[in-house]
Amino acid sequence: MAVALRFLLYLDLMAIAGLLLCAQRTAPTAVSPRLIALLAAIGVVVTAAHFAASAAAMVGGDEALLDTEMLRFIALETSHGKGAVVRLLALGALLVLTVLARSERSPCCQQCWA
């Protein structure tokens, strides 16, 4: 299960990077902010699910051991948890910025997100 979730996560991150980096060079107006926001939201959900599946595997599948203190330890003291936290923050920031840029419709945003 964790391997499939990790594959989905990498697929999602590659799609975001591809749209934001490559499409800006070839067809900047073709990048849909709704699609970027949707991919960022999917990334948040898949990252959370992958973290939950990995945390359950770390405690041997015993959900009774997954209390708040254990989840905090896994999230803040392991490299896997730190990576998940950074991904969640980055994807959350991308989601918020995309929604704000779309709603404000400033001249700069109109050029980038037309």
Side-chain angles (χ1 to χ4, degrees):
M1 179 66 153
V3 173
L5 288 170
R6 183 176 297 221
F7 176 76
L8 287 175
L9 177 62
Y10 289 157
L11 185 66
D12 181 68
L13 294 175
M14 285 187 296
I16 291 172
L19 285 172
L20 291 178
L21 298 175
C22 298
Q24 287 293 334
R25 287 186 158 185
T26 58
T29 59
V31 178
S32 168
R34 287 188 184 115
L35 179 60
I36 298 297
L38 176 67
L39 288 172
I42 290 170
V44 167
V45 171
V46 173
T47 298
H50 182 258
F51 176 77
S54 297
M58 286 180 191
V59 295
D62 188 6
E63 284 88 21
L65 295 175
L66 284 177
D67 58 355
T68 307
E69 187 62 33
M70 180 60 77
L71 288 174
R72 183 179 299 124
F73 173 78
I74 293 171
L76 301 177
E77 301 296 329
T78 65
S79 59
H80 172 72
K82 290 176 185 177
V85 169
V86 169
R87 263 192 311 277
L88 284 171
L89 291 174
L91 288 167
L94 177 63
L95 179 61
V96 168
L97 290 173
T98 303
V99 169
L100 288 177
R102 182 74 178 155
S103 65
E104 287 181 8
R105 303 294 291 178
S106 67
C108 174
C109 294
Q110 286 178 352
Q111 279 182 334
C112 297
W113 300 104

